[in-house]
Amino acid sequence: MLRSEELPDCFYYQNKPTLITPNTSTPNHSLYLSNLDDQKFLRFSIKYLYLFEKAVAIDILKYSLSKVLVDYYPLAGRLRPCGGAGDDDKLVVDCNGEGAVFAEGFMDISCEEFLQISRKPNRSWRKLLYRVEAHSFIEIPPLVVQVTNLRCGGMILCTAINHCICDGIGTSQFLHAWAHVITKPTLNLPILPLHSRHVLKPRDPPQVTHTHLGYTKTTFKDNNIHVDINQYLQSQPLVPTSFTFTSAHILRLKRRCIPSLKCTTFEALASHTWRSWVRSLDLSTTFKVKLLFSVNVRKKLIPEIPQGYYGNGFVLACTETAVKDLVTSNLHHGIKLIQQAKSSLTDGHVRSMIDLLEDKNVKTDICSSLVISQWAKLGLEDLDFGQGKPLHMGPLTSDIYCLFLPVVGNFDAVKVQVSVPECVVEKFEYYMMDGLEEEENGEQNGFI
């Protein structure tokens, strides 16, 4: 058994990973990225970790990946600056078929041992994903895969997928397509990828017709209004926290909303998490704080974005309030703000946001914000490469951005994960858990 939560070293079967290229010729061109794709806020890779009880043969994984990359050929390309006067920061995908990075290794650990420490990611988990040596984010291939075989015959699959090319829905679509090639090799993909990003192209000339709270050109530091929480968090030793909310916990949260307000699970949990996070940081009641949260806008646009679109079809909805109003009220206040922010995302609002992002000096305002990304309800936990669904699915690392994660085996449950300063961990855990863990029958359930 493991003596600590640190993972042992990973031994690679080869000194260097291989490049998996599409197994037939693919289009060779530059793929335009929309302004939603090209945000500097999204210049990172989404890193997933899957634990499977039984390993899939490496040759099968490699061949199926080469096959699915024929359809998802931009993931075998490379990011490039578009160039041109005043457009140096604009990125495109050079669809050159160079290939995805594929590393294979072994770790002396069992599935059971990993599950025991899977509650919170730690730095040692980074051993599970090959680190590509690069001078900048642009130089990292859009898709990096590592398959780590385990002592017990299981495997851990880690993927790093460039967020400029795919959002959460898109990454799920790609991973399920990869699995489909293995499990149903004679059948066509159920959803064909739509590559063109021109459905989200800005208008000419740009028309910024709405106010966009989630963006700024400057960082506010007015002590009476805003505080740079992000800067404070980045300067502190951070500790991952993790809470699993069952449907019973969610129901209890909703009952706290007085006067009664009809709301979704996301709205109740987002309000509760935002409020608990702000309370734990002991901010001055005069400060204003924001909540940014991802919203899929594929069906909000006119016309709707077609099925198969795997680029960034989400935006960050934003709401703002004074600390005093958030922490002295119950969940009702936060839920209403979240609902208003969601309902404001009309076609006109989203188009205005896309046009706003033509100005490359505009950036996402995270200085006084909690950012929540929704990974639940994307089907990520249902991935099956032919040896069964995963025992565990989650992020490779934990950050100050909050993730709402699926819970394997419990569709109605949501796992909330976020890193907070070490000095406030106990307070944050108290506010998140207070009064929710006691079941009516006296049993404890939920926070793991």
Side-chain angles (χ1 to χ4, degrees):
M1 301 296 287
L2 289 180
R3 295 181 180 178
S4 73
E5 294 190 351
E6 293 289 310
L7 292 179
D9 288 339
C10 181
F11 298 96
Y12 290 99
Y13 294 138
Q14 302 178 27
N15 289 332
K16 290 185 178 181
T18 56
L19 284 176
I20 306 298
T21 59
N23 71 355
T24 61
S25 60
T26 55
N28 190 334
H29 64 94
S30 289
L31 177 68
Y32 167 82
L33 294 177
S34 78
N35 286 348
L36 296 184
D37 294 321
D38 193 39
Q39 299 177 76
K40 291 184 179 179
F41 178 71
L42 297 184
R43 295 191 179 183
F44 65 92
S45 294
I46 307 173
K47 298 180 176 67
Y48 295 133
L49 184 154
Y50 285 94
L51 172 69
F52 293 97
E53 187 174 13
K54 293 182 180 180
V56 180
I58 292 292
D59 288 346
I60 291 175
L61 288 169
K62 285 183 174 180
Y63 173 73
S64 58
L65 181 57
S66 72
K67 196 171 178 183
V68 78
L69 283 176
V70 174
D71 288 297
Y72 286 87
Y73 64 88
L75 288 174
R78 295 294 183 266
L79 282 180
R80 298 280 185 262
C82 186
D87 201 24
D88 293 337
D89 289 332
K90 182 71 177 174
L91 299 179
V92 297
V93 184
D94 181 7
C95 300
N96 56 17
E98 222 174 296
V101 175
F102 191 103
E104 43 188 304
F106 172 81
M107 185 173 283
D108 188 15
I109 187 176
S110 69
C111 290
E112 182 182 353
E113 288 169 341
F114 186 84
L115 282 173
Q116 289 178 354
I117 65 169
S118 63
R119 179 187 172 197
K120 301 174 184 177
N122 63 56
R123 283 186 167 273
S124 71
W125 289 26
R126 297 181 185 183
K127 300 173 184 177
L128 294 166
L129 184 65
Y130 183 82
R131 182 188 174 106
V132 177
E133 295 298 330
H135 296 294
S136 69
F137 164 74
I138 294 175
E139 295 179 10
I140 299 174
L143 175 60
V144 179
V145 176
Q146 178 171 321
V147 177
T148 306
N149 288 309
L150 309 180
R151 183 204 318 136
C152 61
M155 77 173 187
I156 292 176
L157 171 71
C158 280
T159 60
I161 304 174
N162 191 298
H163 208 329
C164 292
I165 298 178
C166 302
D167 64 4
I169 291 173
T171 56
S172 180
Q173 180 180 308
F174 164 72
L175 291 170
H176 280 282
W178 183 9
H180 179 92
V181 170
I182 296 176
T183 58
K184 299 175 182 176
T186 61
L187 299 180
N188 293 328
L189 293 181
I191 301 175
L192 289 175
L194 178 66
H195 301 298
S196 175
R197 311 296 166 97
H198 288 84
V199 291
L200 294 178
K201 198 163 187 177
R203 293 167 289 197
D204 186 16
Q207 302 169 41
V208 182
T209 54
H210 292 67
T211 300
H212 300 286
L213 271 178
Y215 294 95
T216 183
K217 283 192 177 183
T218 57
T219 300
F220 293 102
K221 289 191 177 181
D222 185 331
N223 289 333
N224 293 317
I225 302 176
H226 289 85
V227 59
D228 196 334
I229 301 172
N230 183 69
Q231 188 177 57
Y232 163 71
L233 293 174
Q234 298 284 13
S235 69
Q236 300 292 307
L238 298 175
V239 176
T241 64
S242 177
F243 314 90
T244 298
F245 289 81
T246 65
S247 55
H249 297 134
I250 302 297
L251 183 58
R252 290 191 187 94
L253 281 179
K254 291 179 179 179
R255 285 174 178 166
R256 292 181 176 181
C257 187
I258 302 171
S260 179
L261 181 66
K262 187 176 182 181
C263 63
T264 66
T265 292
F266 174 84
E267 291 160 359
L269 198 49
S271 177
H272 175 64
T273 303
W274 185 28
R275 185 169 178 265
S276 299
W277 183 77
V278 170
R279 290 175 77 188
S280 69
L281 293 176
D282 282 334
L283 302 173
S284 167
T285 57
T286 61
F287 288 147
K288 288 186 177 180
V289 287
K290 293 181 180 179
L291 176 68
L292 296 169
F293 57 97
S294 58
V295 176
N296 176 22
V297 295
R298 283 165 170 79
K299 293 186 179 297
K300 291 180 178 288
L301 297 181
I302 303 172
E304 293 181 0
I305 298 178
Q307 185 185 41
Y309 189 88
Y310 65 97
N312 287 283
F314 83 97
V315 301
L316 289 175
C318 181
T319 189
E320 181 180 46
T321 188
V323 168
K324 179 181 178 181
D325 294 333
L326 185 64
V327 301
T328 58
S329 305
N330 61 28
L331 296 186
H332 191 281
H333 180 70
I335 289 172
K336 287 206 73 173
L337 291 174
I338 291 167
Q339 290 177 339
Q340 290 165 5
K342 286 170 67 175
S343 65
S344 72
L345 292 176
T346 60
D347 174 79
H349 190 107
V350 175
R351 299 287 180 190
S352 174
M353 188 181 296
I354 293 169
D355 290 358
L356 174 73
L357 290 171
E358 273 293 276
D359 183 347
K360 296 306 174 186
N361 292 316
V362 169
K363 62 181 181 180
T364 306
D365 183 11
I366 58 174
C367 73
S368 60
S369 308
L370 173 66
V371 181
I372 297 178
S373 182
Q374 170 74 297
W375 287 20
K377 317 306 179 190
L378 298 181
L380 290 165
E381 73 280 15
D382 293 329
L383 193 65
D384 187 347
F385 287 94
Q387 296 288 1
K389 294 181 181 180
L391 301 174
H392 168 86
M393 181 276 151
L396 180 69
T397 56
S398 182
D399 205 339
I400 59 173
Y401 305 130
C402 179
L403 297 177
F404 282 12
L405 301 166
V407 177
V408 172
N410 190 344
F411 180 79
D412 294 323
V414 179
K415 182 177 179 180
V416 177
Q417 181 174 298
V418 61
S419 287
V420 297
E422 191 173 18
C423 59
V424 305
V425 168
E426 289 187 9
K427 280 194 293 184
F428 182 60
E429 290 181 342
Y430 171 78
Y431 290 132
M432 288 289 281
M433 297 167 60
D434 185 29
L436 290 177
E437 64 213 321
E438 297 178 3
E439 296 288 341
E440 292 177 4
N441 60 7
E443 296 178 358
Q444 289 201 347
N445 179 19
F447 290 91
I448 60 174

